Amino acid sequence: MIRVMLVDDHALVRMGFRMLLANAEIEVVAEAQSGEEACQQVPKVKPDVVVMDLSMPGMGGLEAVRRLLAQDPKLKLLVLSAHEDTAHPQRVLRAGALGYLAKRSAPEALIAAVTAVARGERYMDAQTAQRLAVAQLDGEASPADRLSEREFSVFIQLARGATVAQIAETLNLSPSTVGTHLYHIKQKLGASNQSEITLVALRWGLIQA
């Protein structure tokens, strides 16, 4: 039986996933409602697969993926997301997650994804894979593609309205380092303030309104 840990800030979503996976004889051995909580629990629980929501308060799923894989490079992670952009799946897979699944996928896709990731195989839902392929063929690039991995994490936090001090605490960086990232983000995106950064993120589907 595959042992899974669910990480999502919505209790009803976790309950639905738990019931769905139980029908496929996949055991949910632990749950967490934030990336911070997941980073604390995973080393103790040692699940076969971590199913991680991307958009959560605090550090969020992408930063949690990076930290968990820094702790254990062999950890198997499946990321779920309501985002329909191409930047997030690229960043998630580059960070080391094995799978990426759009939340609006059919229920059976979650079972297939968890099973594949547990075997150490990559998994991506068909719609996300198609979007990535089309974007590559069209040469379409999100402005966020110009950002480094750390700049992207700061960018998403800024777009959600977090202050420099809040980002520093969440990402475990100094305020001056966050300020430097903010300067580079503005330069690369051609944004003059935080409101314009938010507009860029909304326009490209990188955050939800």
Side-chain angles (χ1 to χ4, degrees):
M1 184 175 280
I2 301 169
R3 301 171 68 256
V4 167
M5 179 174 180
L6 297 176
V7 187
D8 193 294
D9 59 319
H10 294 102
L12 282 174
V13 171
R14 297 197 306 271
M15 182 176 70
F17 288 163
R18 185 168 65 246
M19 293 170 64
L20 178 63
L21 294 172
N23 291 333
E25 297 188 343
I26 297 171
E27 183 185 8
V28 175
V29 294
E31 297 181 20
Q33 59 183 0
S34 68
E36 289 86 345
E37 193 178 336
C39 290
Q40 293 173 350
Q41 285 197 42
V42 167
K44 303 172 188 173
V45 178
K46 293 183 169 45
D48 298 319
V49 178
V50 176
V51 178
M52 175 85 67
D53 183 34
L54 196 57
S55 298
M56 295 180 289
M59 71 169 69
L62 182 56
E63 182 67 17
V65 166
R66 292 196 186 110
R67 293 193 190 186
L68 286 169
L69 288 171
Q71 293 173 7
D72 180 5
K74 294 183 180 179
L75 184 64
K76 295 168 182 173
L77 282 145
L78 169 65
V79 172
L80 302 180
S81 177
H83 296 290
E84 298 193 4
D85 62 287
T86 56
H88 277 102
Q90 289 175 332
R91 299 275 176 175
V92 162
L93 297 173
R94 277 206 297 260
L98 278 177
Y100 188 96
L101 183 66
K103 274 192 168 182
R104 71 176 195 171
S105 299
E108 55 268 22
L110 176 63
I111 296 167
V114 169
T115 304
V117 169
R119 291 196 299 259
E121 300 171 3
R122 286 194 174 277
Y123 186 96
M124 182 179 292
D125 66 273
Q127 287 178 322
T128 300
Q130 183 180 25
R131 278 198 303 273
L132 286 171
V134 169
Q136 193 169 20
L137 286 171
D138 290 347
E140 180 187 6
S142 162
D145 292 344
R146 304 171 200 150
L147 305 178
S148 70
E149 299 302 320
R150 179 55 76 197
E151 287 168 353
F152 184 79
S153 294
V154 172
F155 162 71
I156 292 297
Q157 296 276 346
L158 286 166
R160 289 179 181 152
T163 66
V164 168
Q166 289 169 334
I167 296 168
E169 183 177 356
T170 299
L171 299 183
N172 198 25
L173 299 170
S174 71
S176 62
T177 299
V178 174
T180 300
H181 288 317
L182 173 56
Y183 173 77
H184 290 145
I185 290 164
K186 286 179 177 178
Q187 293 292 310
K188 291 180 179 181
L189 300 184
S192 59
N193 54 47
Q194 192 166 2
S195 295
E196 291 183 6
I197 288 172
T198 300
L199 284 173
V200 170
L202 286 169
R203 191 175 299 128
W204 286 84
L206 299 168
I207 61 171
Q208 293 167 296

